[in-house]
Amino acid sequence: MAKFVLAGQTDCPYYAKAELLADRLQRSLPNFQIHKISILPDEWTDWLQDTCKRNDWKHEESPLVWRELVHQGGKGMFLGGFNDFLEHCQNYYNITSDMAEELMESIAQENLETKISLIKEAQYHASLIQPLHIWISSALNPTCNMLIPSLLSAEGLSQASAISLHLLDLKGNEEELQSLKMETEDLAMPLLHQADHLNIINSFFVTSPIKAAIWLQVTIHTDLEEAFHKAEIILLLDDCLSEDNDTEDVQQGQKIKAVADLYTEYGRLIDTRAKKDVKVIVSGRKLLNLRCSFLLKACSIDSRRFVAVATQLENEARAAIAKKLKVRTSEVTDIIVWGDVGDIFYVDLQRAKVFNYDGPIKGPPFFFHPVLEIIYDREWLDNDFQDIVRGQQAAVVSKTCHGADMSTANGILTVLKAWNRTSTPSQVFSVGVLCTDHSDIPGDVVLSVPVTFKDGHWSVASDVSVGDDLKQRLDLSASKLREKMSDATTGE
């Protein structure tokens, strides 16, 4: 089988003549194939130089013809220009072309007009795709590596037809970010998208006008110059700012001040650049509620667009209960985390349920026992259990020498999926929010409370009771948060 490649400048008369001759051969000879590459005039010189350099050829005019070695592999066999192709067709197939010069120029002009028309059509189709813009801060945080594959799958963001992913790391090494970008693109996720009209033009073929119309990429950022533009989902992973690995002369107040300055700036940028219906998720362990509080203080967007994830802590509590009751972690549900994650918080079991418990009373799969009716050891619940949950993160770090990155990523994904209408109205999630409409919960700082998601909006769970003891705990958490915010303001 003879497979030829004919490349030329779109408005070149000799390319037009060679193209029609090749079409004639392809219609007449079953084993003759032609692949045509039409290049715009202002791009032809660069394209020709790159192609010749790559293949070690010498050629300076339009068109360029070579033969692909279909059954042998390796680079193509250089044939030459228009006269070489015409001579080859005459010698091997006894077919030539006697097209008049006026007709050649007319067809060349028609080729150019058609090329431009097809490019405009491709650009129009590309413009119809509105990608979902997702920003991730501290993208070199190991949690990000755990997060990206699931984030870009269709399961959690089923309403998105395409995703444009922006990786932001203010202190990151650009080479490392480039590596992360390449690794992300190598996932070949179907939702990953970013329209680039320049590449649309460069990769456009007249013979297949639409198939090269989309160029996929991930963007990386190391400063705040363009941060959060068009953002619809923002995932803030800046937990590394608050790790306890600083030198002794760096005081806690200075760390809080640094976090406050950054998140205040984040808040201003989100306010002016992000979409008004943006979803902002703050994740981590250290200063989690404080970071979210500073965001809201600096931003005028509806506070219901911001949450701090306590779900990973909730899952660790479920694991501790499951181990105590000898069931699977997935069979323990509706555990609530109140307060300030990473500081003063309380794990509440008032709604907690356990399914498939091996006790004297059993039922169908939907049957459950209240956890507080199964565990009678109140001293364990009030002391040991709370300590186990508080120490779980440190235990993971001591054994693995890194944070609970999988747990953190899973917590983010769990909340994001629920926020995107994949949960039932009865499911309860522990997240840090600003509760301005709940009389028993301080509403001036972000505290972790039980919420349900419905139609893309969260609301505080209505079937939970806030007793005097719990209210005192929440007031204490709020008071500590106010002190930290005040320290950041005064710089102490």
Side-chain angles (χ1 to χ4, degrees):
M1 177 181 290
K3 182 177 180 180
F4 290 86
V5 179
L6 172 62
Q9 190 171 310
T10 307
D11 61 349
C12 172
Y14 292 99
Y15 172 74
K17 187 172 183 177
E19 180 184 21
L20 291 180
L21 177 59
D23 288 341
R24 179 182 173 188
L25 285 168
Q26 188 164 247
R27 289 193 301 268
S28 304
L29 305 173
N31 291 326
F32 183 95
Q33 289 188 0
I34 187 72
H35 177 66
K36 292 175 282 187
I37 304 176
S38 176
I39 309 297
L40 289 173
D42 58 346
E43 299 168 3
W44 167 253
T45 301
D46 290 340
W47 184 92
L48 180 63
Q49 290 177 352
D50 291 343
T51 302
C52 290
K53 182 178 180 181
R54 184 169 60 251
N55 293 281
D56 196 24
W57 296 337
K58 292 183 178 180
H59 192 75
E60 298 179 352
E61 57 189 12
S62 172
L64 168 67
V65 186
W66 71 88
R67 181 173 178 176
E68 292 289 344
L69 304 178
V70 178
H71 299 296
Q72 299 179 27
K75 69 176 183 178
M77 184 178 69
F78 176 71
L79 188 62
F82 171 74
N83 291 330
D84 301 299
F85 180 60
L86 205 65
E87 182 180 348
H88 180 87
C89 293
Q90 176 69 42
N91 293 337
Y92 279 85
Y93 307 112
N94 196 29
I95 296 177
T96 188
S97 174
D98 55 359
M99 182 186 298
E101 186 174 343
E102 291 182 1
L103 181 58
M104 289 167 54
E105 292 177 353
S106 175
I107 294 175
Q109 182 61 34
E110 183 180 336
N111 280 346
L112 179 60
E113 293 173 357
T114 302
K115 175 78 171 182
I116 294 174
S117 175
L118 290 173
I119 289 175
K120 290 180 178 179
E121 181 183 352
Q123 290 176 337
Y124 169 73
H125 284 287
S127 69
L128 295 179
I129 299 176
Q130 298 297 326
L132 182 72
H133 288 271
I134 300 178
W135 285 79
I136 303 179
S137 73
S138 286
L140 294 178
N141 186 321
T143 298
C144 188
N145 294 68
M146 305 286 183
L147 183 63
I148 287 176
S150 298
L151 181 65
L152 297 182
S153 69
E155 180 185 358
L157 300 168
S158 56
Q159 83 284 5
S161 59
I163 292 175
S164 179
L165 184 64
H166 305 265
L167 303 175
L168 171 69
D169 201 301
L170 300 180
K171 296 183 178 180
N173 180 286
E174 191 161 342
E175 186 175 339
E176 292 180 7
L177 281 171
Q178 285 287 356
S179 298
L180 178 59
K181 170 187 171 176
M182 293 172 59
E183 189 174 358
T184 301
E185 291 173 337
D186 288 345
L187 292 173
M189 304 301 288
L191 289 179
L192 192 62
H193 162 86
Q194 176 65 46
D196 187 332
H197 297 301
L198 180 60
N199 284 307
I200 290 173
I201 294 173
N202 287 339
S203 60
F204 208 88
F205 294 94
V206 168
T207 53
S208 54
I210 302 300
K211 69 179 182 181
I214 301 301
W215 184 263
L216 304 183
Q217 70 173 12
V218 180
T219 58
I220 61 173
H221 311 267
T222 55
D223 57 51
L224 291 174
E225 183 178 348
E226 294 186 0
F228 310 131
H229 275 296
K230 299 181 181 179
E232 294 167 85
I233 294 177
I234 299 175
L235 309 178
L236 301 176
L237 310 182
D238 305 279
D239 209 26
C240 57
L241 290 171
S242 47
E243 294 290 341
D244 293 328
N245 56 2
D246 300 310
T247 56
E248 293 182 1
D249 59 336
V250 178
Q251 301 298 317
Q252 180 71 10
Q254 292 176 294
K255 289 196 292 183
I256 293 176
K257 181 66 165 59
V259 170
D261 291 344
L262 177 61
Y263 272 73
T264 298
E265 183 63 19
Y266 277 175
R268 294 195 190 103
L269 295 176
I270 291 171
D271 198 30
T272 56
R273 298 176 177 178
K275 298 282 186 70
K276 295 307 177 185
D277 60 349
V278 64
K279 295 180 176 72
V280 182
I281 297 179
V282 184
S283 178
R285 282 302 188 105
K286 303 289 185 178
L287 308 178
L288 176 64
N289 297 59
L290 184 70
R291 286 186 275 144
C292 194
S293 296
F294 278 118
L295 273 182
L296 288 169
K297 187 177 180 181
C299 187
S300 63
I301 294 177
D302 184 1
S303 62
R304 291 183 176 273
R305 313 309 302 174
F306 297 78
V307 301
V309 177
T311 311
Q312 69 271 26
L313 194 60
E314 175 188 314
N315 290 338
E316 290 164 8
R318 291 170 60 193
I321 293 293
K323 185 176 181 180
K324 178 76 170 178
L325 297 178
K326 295 181 174 58
V327 297
R328 291 178 295 183
T329 303
S330 60
E331 293 171 334
V332 180
T333 66
D334 294 340
I335 286 180
I336 301 170
V337 177
W338 298 89
D340 182 4
V341 176
D343 193 355
I344 301 176
F345 67 86
Y346 175 70
V347 182
D348 185 4
L349 303 177
Q350 62 173 287
R351 295 181 82 256
K353 306 178 182 67
V354 57
F355 294 82
N356 200 30
Y357 176 64
D358 188 16
I361 302 176
K362 297 182 179 180
F366 58 82
F367 177 77
F368 65 86
H369 293 278
V371 168
L372 292 178
E373 292 182 7
I374 301 299
I375 300 179
Y376 298 100
D377 189 348
R378 289 296 184 268
E379 183 178 349
W380 183 85
L381 289 175
D382 293 337
N383 298 300
D384 295 347
F385 168 62
Q386 302 288 336
D387 292 339
I388 289 172
V389 177
R390 287 186 174 86
Q392 181 65 20
Q393 174 76 2
V396 170
V397 172
S398 66
K399 292 183 179 181
T400 63
C401 299
H402 60 76
D405 303 315
M406 283 193 295
S407 177
T408 303
N410 181 65
I412 295 171
L413 290 168
T414 299
V415 171
L416 188 57
K417 289 176 183 179
W419 211 346
N420 283 291
R421 302 178 175 86
T422 61
S423 66
T424 61
S426 61
Q427 284 183 276
V428 173
F429 303 86
S430 299
V431 295
V433 294
L434 203 62
C435 299
T436 56
D437 56 354
H438 200 294
S439 58
D440 292 325
I441 302 174
D444 57 336
V445 289
V446 173
L447 293 175
S448 177
V449 298
V451 304
T452 58
F453 289 93
K454 183 179 180 182
D455 298 328
H457 301 279
W458 61 262
S459 58
V460 179
S462 58
D463 57 345
V464 294
S465 59
V466 181
D468 292 339
D469 181 60
L470 179 56
K471 193 172 185 306
Q472 289 179 3
R473 294 176 187 268
L474 292 175
D475 288 339
L476 181 59
S477 293
S479 176
K480 289 288 186 180
L481 275 172
R482 293 188 197 102
E483 287 181 15
K484 291 176 183 178
M485 294 184 74
S486 176
D487 290 344
T489 302
T490 60
E492 296 180 359

